[in-house]
Amino acid sequence: MIKHLFIAAALALGGCAAKHGGESEQHAFKSIAAPTRPDIATHITGEDDGKSVSVSAGTKIAVELIGVPTAGYVWMVKEQPAFLAAAGETGGPTSEAQLQPGFAGGSHWEVFYFDVTGSGEGALSLEQRRPWEEEGPPDATFSVTIKAP
């Protein structure tokens, strides 16, 4: 009998939740693109992992990756070709939901800018880890071969 009362109570609460928390009160939050500058000639994203990317000398490129800095996991440049010069970093939310009052955590864009200062070919590698956890493997890795003819 108690089991049946519990099930009935759960169903009743579920019905109330559907009435008061249904689609009419839910918001559809849109994704937010990576915050990059207008002077960027080439955008490299997580989908480019393991690929070769051709760039032109004298241009600026951006590497746009999603991280979880709110949990301490940040992307760091591990290796870069000599013909790439670091030109800053930025970041931002990946969803409009993160702009709502009281929202905490979530994934964020981490964007690295580079000036292509000459020609060459080489690996650009990044790893995601907590900076204070230097021992052990990184949480994630990213690498592209940059070709600047």
Side-chain angles (χ1 to χ4, degrees), residues 57-109:
T59 62
K60 297 178 185 304
I61 65 172
V63 178
E64 305 165 351
L65 300 173
I66 295 177
V68 192
T70 56
Y73 293 97
V74 295
W75 285 101
M76 297 175 271
V77 177
K78 183 178 177 188
E79 175 185 7
Q80 73 188 59
F83 61 89
L84 291 184
E89 300 174 22
T90 192
T94 57
S95 168
E96 289 178 346
Q98 293 166 297
L99 303 175
Q100 301 303 306
F103 188 94
S107 300
H108 284 74
W109 286 109

Side-chain angles (χ1 to χ4, degrees), residues 43-54 121-125 142-147:
H43 297 265
I44 299 170
T45 69
E47 293 179 8
D48 295 314
D49 189 26
K51 297 179 180 176
S52 292
V53 178
S54 294
E121 181 176 325
L124 174 59
S125 301
F142 174 85
S143 183
V144 292
T145 300
I146 304 291
K147 296 180 180 182

